[in-house]
Amino acid sequence: MLVAEDDEGLGEVLARGLREQGYVVDLVPDGETAAAYLRFYSYEAAVLDWRMPRLSGFDLVRRLRRGGSGTPVLMLTARDTPADRIAGLDAGADDYLVKPFDFGELLARLRALQRRPSFSQAPLIMIGQLEFDPAAREARVCGQRPALTVTELGILEILMRRSPGVADRRSIAQHVWDNEADAFGSNTIDVHLARLRSKLVGAGVRIETVRGIGYRIVAS
């Protein structure tokens, strides 16, 4: 999930809440950075603030649609007139939420976006006998769901999305933990990786440690 919000406090609240719901989150402070992330990574959805420095959410979503991107976009804004809502939707946003808003409603709207056919047709991420379903936010091994914690699921998702490349330790910490220093500067990631490995026995995958860099997951 990409969250682009120039209000640092609100952005951190959104990222923390989404991570608690099991999402892997990239939080960026402006539209140009969001555009760069959207060029390089695939996201289940993007939450964009209308007014951001460098490039507004309004201009960003227009750029995305002109470029053929189908990433679902939820626009956040304090602009609440019918004309503003119409402009945002016509620009290419899939939904529109006015500040201040209830976090539960934001989650419900994101789930609704993920259920739309254009998203639900996105392919599963599969390695060996292991598959990750972005829409359902669950992992399955031969049709069965291993008992993964939210943190383990977040780590697994970034590993599978980066495979066969390496996910470096800092990226894992930034994507999965609210305070990356809590994980990056300790053995927390290693402990979670050890537990994750034990839960994926029989999945036909191997999580490798790339010394000095991070981890990658490959078919065994």
Side-chain angles (χ1 to χ4, degrees), residues 80-154:
D80 61 354
T81 69
D84 290 328
R85 292 195 292 272
I86 291 169
L89 294 170
D90 283 348
D94 297 276
D95 203 353
Y96 191 106
L97 194 56
V98 175
K99 302 176 182 178
F101 55 85
D102 179 79
F103 185 70
E105 181 180 359
L106 180 139
L107 289 175
R109 288 175 180 267
L110 289 175
R111 290 193 296 268
L113 290 181
Q114 292 175 264
R115 289 195 298 268
R116 292 185 178 180
S118 60
F119 184 85
S120 62
Q121 291 171 2
L124 301 174
I125 305 171
M126 301 186 67
I127 303 173
Q129 302 302 312
L130 175 65
E131 61 182 39
F132 178 79
D133 185 340
R137 301 214 50 73
E138 65 181 28
R140 293 187 290 266
V141 178
C142 300
Q144 301 298 313
R145 294 174 59 186
L148 303 183
T149 66
V150 169
T151 299
E152 290 163 353
L153 188 65

Side-chain angles (χ1 to χ4, degrees), residues 6-83:
D6 66 326
D7 182 322
E8 183 178 355
L10 177 57
E12 290 177 353
V13 168
L14 289 173
R16 181 169 60 251
L18 289 167
R19 287 174 182 139
E20 289 173 353
Q21 295 299 312
Y23 290 97
V24 171
V25 179
D26 280 327
L27 174 62
V28 298
D30 62 77
E32 285 292 356
T33 305
Y37 273 60
L38 286 160
R39 283 196 299 271
F40 290 108
Y41 302 116
S42 176
Y43 291 98
E44 300 169 35
V47 179
L48 307 180
D49 184 30
W50 181 301
R51 290 189 174 181
M52 291 186 290
R54 302 178 67 198
L55 182 70
S56 71
F58 180 83
D59 290 330
L60 174 55
V61 74
R62 288 200 301 183
R63 180 189 294 185
L64 289 174
R65 300 312 182 222
R66 285 198 303 266
S69 172
T71 300
V73 171
L74 174 64
M75 190 81 76
L76 298 180
T77 179
R79 305 168 69 109
D80 61 354
T81 69

Side-chain angles (χ1 to χ4, degrees), residues 2 83 85 94 144 176 184 190:
L2 177 68
R85 292 195 292 272
D94 297 276
Q144 301 298 313
V176 182
F184 186 69
D190 306 279

